[in-house]
Amino acid sequence: MIDARKLWQQRLQDEGKKRLRYLRYMLNDHLLVGLIIVLGGIAVMYERWVETLPGSFPYPAIAAVIFGWAAASGTVRTLFREADTVFLLAAEWQLHPYIRRAFLFSAMWHAYGLCLLLLLAGPLHSRFSPVPWPLFLLGLIALKLWNLWAAWKGSYIAEPSFHRQSALARFGLAALAVYFWLAAAPWLFSATIIALIAALSVCLSRFAKGKTWKWERLIAEEQRALRAFYRLANLFTDVPEWREEARQRRWLDPLLRLIPYGQRNVFFYLYARTFLRAGGYAGLYIRLTAIGSVLLAVIDHEYVQAAIVFLFLYATAVQLAALPSRHRYSLWTQLYPLPQTQPAGAAVRLLSILLAGQNTVFHLVLAAVSPRPLWLATWVGGIGWGVWTARRYVRPRRGHKAER
C-alpha cells in the first residue's frame, strides 16, 4: 500500500532542495544587484509613461491577451519521474491524495505568478480599469483554477490535437472573460462565457470518464518544465543534469567561414561553432540584444539609456561566460598540441567580439531614436567595458568552477 501523502511530501522536498541549490548560485551573482537598480529606474519611467497615455488607450484588449494567456497556461505539476511508469502505474488508484496535493501546490504557485503579473500591470490597471484590483485578482485566480482542472482532465486523453484545441479554447474563453469584465460589457456576455465554460467542463468530464492517466504525457511535461529551469540555471552556473542537443543551423555556417584556418584559431572556431549551434547561447544573445534595443527606443532619458547599455553588456558577458566550460570535460579537446592558455584566450576574444557587436547595435538604435554626442563616448566606453567584462568573467570563472 502506497502512502501517497508521504510520497508527495518527499517528492516536493527533493524538488525544493534541487531548485534551491541552483537558485543560491543564481541570486548571489552581482547581476541581481544591477538588475534591481535598473528595474527600479524602469519602474519610475513606466509610471511616468502611464500618466502620459491618452484615455483611449486599449487597456482591456491588451489585458485580455496577457491575463488570458497567464490564466490559461500551465499544468498541474505532478513531479512524476520516468521510473513511475514501472513502480506507480499499477497503483494509480491509490494516488488521488497525491494528485490533490499536486493540484493545490500548482494552484498556489500559479496564483503567486498572477499576483506578480498584476503588480506589474498595477499603474495601467489603476488608471484604466473600473474593477478594483483585489476583485480582479480573485477573478483571475478562479479562471486559473478552472484552467488547471481542465488541463488535468486533458491528461486522460492522448490525442495531441485534442490538447491543442483545448488550449486554444481555454485561452479564448479566459481572454474574452477578462475583456468583458474590464470593458464593463453587458452581463449577458459574461453569462455566455460562464455557460461555455460549464459546457466545456461537462464535455471534459465525459471524455475523461473511464480512462486512466496518460503517464508518458505527464512525465514528458515534468521533464519539459525541469529542462526549462535547468536551461535558466545553466546561464548562471554549471548544471550537470542539463543537456541540450546541438542544432546544425547550416544557414549560419557562412559566419564560421570568416574565421581563418590555422592552429591559432582552433578553440576560437570551436567556441564560435558552439555559440551558434548549442546551448541556446545564440538565442540568449539575440534576446538580450532585442530587449535592450526596445528599452533604449522606449526610454527617453540619456543617462538611463547609457546605464541600460552597460547593464545589458554586463548581463550578456556574465551569461555567455559559461560557454567555454561546455567543453571542459571533453577528452578530445585535450589532444590538441596547443598551449593551455589558448582556450581562455579564444573565449575572451569571442566574447569581446560579441559584446562589441551588441554595443554597436545598441548605439545604432540610440542614434536612430535620439542622436546625441554622448553616444560616441558611450560607444567607446561600451567596447572597453565589454573587453573588461569578457576578461573578468571568462578566465576566473573557469578556475572558480574547478575549485567548486
Side-chain angles (χ1 to χ4, degrees):
M1 188 73 178
I2 294 177
D3 188 344
R5 298 176 181 83
K6 188 176 179 181
L7 179 63
W8 167 255
Q9 188 177 3
Q10 184 181 353
R11 292 276 174 96
L12 189 61
Q13 287 176 351
D14 292 344
E15 184 73 11
K17 287 178 183 175
K18 192 186 302 177
R19 302 226 171 194
L20 282 176
R21 186 171 74 241
Y22 291 116
L23 285 173
R24 192 171 63 247
Y25 294 126
M26 294 161 67
L27 299 180
N28 274 344
D29 205 287
H30 300 301
L31 177 62
L32 181 64
V33 179
L35 282 176
I36 291 174
I37 295 173
V38 171
L39 287 177
I42 292 174
V44 174
M45 301 294 296
Y46 169 57
E47 192 164 3
R48 291 178 182 173
W49 173 72
V50 171
E51 293 173 356
T52 63
L53 291 175
S56 59
F57 183 75
Y59 173 70
I62 296 173
V65 175
I66 296 175
F67 286 109
W69 171 81
S73 62
T75 57
V76 177
R77 292 297 310 274
T78 58
L79 306 183
F80 284 152
R81 302 168 182 172
E82 288 186 60
D84 291 343
T85 56
V86 176
F87 297 104
L88 292 183
L89 188 147
E92 182 178 316
W93 59 276
Q94 300 180 30
L95 294 178
H96 292 294
Y98 183 100
I99 294 302
R100 280 197 294 272
R101 282 159 177 75
F103 187 89
L104 181 61
F105 169 77
S106 303
M108 292 175 64
W109 179 253
H110 286 292
Y112 176 69
L114 287 174
C115 289
L116 291 181
L117 186 61
L118 185 56
L119 180 65
L120 184 64
L124 281 171
H125 187 82
S126 60
R127 181 177 173 191
F128 293 102
S129 172
V131 183
W133 72 263
L135 188 60
F136 185 59
L137 180 60
L138 286 176
L140 288 176
I141 291 175
L143 277 174
K144 170 58 76 176
L145 291 176
W146 176 77
N147 274 283
L148 284 178
W149 176 86
W152 174 250
K153 284 296 178 184
S155 66
Y156 289 82
I157 300 166
E159 289 79 6
S161 59
F162 169 84
H163 294 282
R164 287 194 294 271
Q165 294 168 6
S166 173
L168 185 62
R170 288 188 283 113
F171 167 71
L173 289 174
L176 286 175
V178 172
Y179 178 77
F180 291 151
W181 199 8
L182 293 179
W187 64 269
L188 187 60
F189 290 92
S190 299
T192 304
I193 296 298
I194 293 173
L196 290 174
I197 288 176
L200 186 58
S201 302
V202 172
C203 291
L204 284 171
S205 297
R206 290 184 177 177
F207 286 152
K209 190 175 182 180
K211 297 182 179 177
T212 57
W213 303 339
K214 300 301 176 281
W215 284 80
E216 292 79 8
R217 179 178 176 78
L218 293 174
I219 292 171
E221 288 179 351
E222 281 301 309
Q223 291 177 338
R224 193 179 304 117
L226 198 58
R227 279 199 301 273
F229 176 76
Y230 283 157
R231 184 183 297 112
L232 177 64
N234 193 64
L235 299 177
F236 296 86
T237 186
D238 292 337
V239 181
E241 298 92 337
W242 183 68
R243 289 289 180 270
E244 189 175 40
E245 295 181 359
R247 298 180 181 177
Q248 196 165 15
R249 292 170 180 158
R250 289 181 182 274
W251 57 281
L252 289 173
D253 283 351
L255 294 177
L256 296 173
R257 296 192 192 105
L258 298 176
I259 301 174
Y261 179 81
Q263 286 190 346
R264 180 176 177 272
N265 297 313
V266 169
F267 279 94
F268 183 74
Y269 183 86
L270 173 66
Y271 294 152
R273 184 172 282 271
T274 303
F275 170 76
L276 294 176
R277 291 189 171 186
Y281 299 110
L284 170 72
Y285 178 78
I286 293 172
R287 284 194 294 274
L288 285 175
T289 306
I291 294 171
S293 300
V294 171
L295 289 176
L296 291 173
V298 171
I299 295 174
D300 187 22
H301 191 289
E302 56 184 333
Y303 292 114
V304 176
Q305 289 172 325
I308 289 174
V309 168
F310 284 88
L311 173 72
F312 273 82
L313 290 173
Y314 179 76
T316 306
V318 170
Q319 299 196 3
L320 292 185
L323 190 150
S325 64
R326 188 178 181 87
H327 299 285
R328 188 173 53 185
Y329 299 114
S330 298
L331 180 62
W332 61 272
T333 57
Q334 301 175 20
L335 300 178
Y336 292 136
L338 298 170
Q340 292 300 315
T341 56
Q342 190 176 108
V348 170
R349 186 152 55 112
L350 176 63
L351 195 53
S352 299
I353 292 172
L354 291 173
L355 293 176
Q358 188 184 51
N359 182 47
T360 303
V361 171
F362 287 156
H363 283 83
L364 287 175
V365 174
L366 288 173
V369 297
S370 58
R372 290 168 184 166
L374 177 65
W375 304 146
L376 181 59
T378 57
W379 180 70
V380 175
I383 290 179
W385 174 254
V387 173
W388 181 84
T389 51
R391 292 178 178 274
R392 170 73 177 79
Y393 283 96
V394 170
R395 286 175 176 171
R397 186 182 179 92
R398 290 166 59 86
H400 179 65
K401 298 298 179 188
E403 291 172 5
R404 218 169 46 202

